[in-house]
Amino acid sequence: MTWRLRRAEPGDAPALSLVASATFLDTYATVLTGADIVAHCTRNNSIAAFGTWLSDPATIVTLAEHEPGHAPIGYTVLTAPDFPIEPGPADIELRRIYLMKQAQGTGLGAALMTRALEDAAAADQTRILLGVWDQNTRARTFYERQGFKVIGTRQFTVGTTLHDDPVYARAV
């Protein structure tokens, strides 16, 4: 699989929204109710939500596109931390690192993570924080291979379901 990574632009909000909802549905269709998935995606993966991130100069969004044709297949969002853990002055949150299933295992996830670390360093950030569903063993294994360590927990609501998620951190 061949891909390219690029900084997302305001016109990319529909593509990002599509990938966000598709990957969320694919990951959680067997563990969450349909109503919870729809509620979560409607609120958090809307074109407007991505438009807000893309217009925020402190947020960095990277889009992964399949070559040729530039079909969206993944993305990352680096933004201000939103955790119950007191962030440091040079912390940034990797709020999203989403990848379509057909691109998993191709090295694209590692490429997106490398780009996120480079973007964080370029923004003078020294630590990346992220939260992940505690039952997502594939993602947790990936983060741990990338050098992330659990530093706490947070509660995260999807629809009407409350989850206790680990919070990871890694120096940039």
Side-chain angles (χ1 to χ4, degrees), residues 91-164:
D91 284 350
I92 195 165
E93 180 181 348
L94 181 57
R95 181 82 46 95
R96 305 268 183 95
I97 180 168
Y98 280 21
L99 186 63
M100 298 295 291
K101 185 172 269 181
Q102 63 269 34
Q104 292 177 359
T106 68
L108 180 54
L112 280 166
M113 182 62 76
T114 297
R115 177 71 174 265
L117 291 164
E118 292 168 353
D119 287 341
D124 295 324
Q125 304 301 297
T126 59
R127 187 169 73 154
I128 292 183
L129 308 174
L130 64 86
V132 63
W133 180 46
D134 70 335
Q135 300 300 306
N136 191 340
T137 55
R138 182 180 181 107
R140 293 185 69 182
T141 299
F142 172 76
Y143 298 140
E144 290 164 9
R145 274 195 325 264
Q146 296 292 320
F148 285 84
K149 304 285 185 216
V150 175
I151 62 164
T153 60
R154 70 159 177 200
Q155 290 193 317
F156 188 79
T157 303
V158 177
T160 60
T161 307
L162 185 64
H163 301 273
D164 291 312

Side-chain angles (χ1 to χ4, degrees), residues 9-139:
E9 301 169 350
D12 293 320
L16 293 159
S17 174
L18 177 66
V19 172
S21 292
T23 56
F24 195 87
L25 175 62
D26 189 53
T27 301
Y28 298 108
T30 60
V31 295
L32 295 172
T33 68
D36 280 354
I37 291 169
V38 170
H40 177 85
C41 289
T42 300
R43 185 177 66 252
N44 297 299
N45 297 341
S46 68
I47 293 170
F50 280 98
T52 299
W53 274 331
L54 291 168
S55 66
D56 177 3
T59 298
I60 302 166
V61 182
T62 297
L63 179 61
E65 297 174 320
H66 182 267
E67 292 285 334
H70 310 298
I73 56 173
Y75 69 94
T76 60
V77 175
L78 288 166
T79 193
D82 182 22
F83 290 109
I85 296 164
E86 185 65 34
D91 284 350
I92 195 165
E93 180 181 348
L94 181 57
R95 181 82 46 95
R96 305 268 183 95
I97 180 168
Y98 280 21
L99 186 63
M100 298 295 291
K101 185 172 269 181
Q102 63 269 34
Q104 292 177 359
T106 68
L108 180 54
L112 280 166
M113 182 62 76
T114 297
R115 177 71 174 265
L117 291 164
E118 292 168 353
D119 287 341
D124 295 324
Q125 304 301 297
T126 59
R127 187 169 73 154
I128 292 183
L129 308 174
L130 64 86
V132 63
W133 180 46
D134 70 335
Q135 300 300 306
N136 191 340
T137 55
R138 182 180 181 107

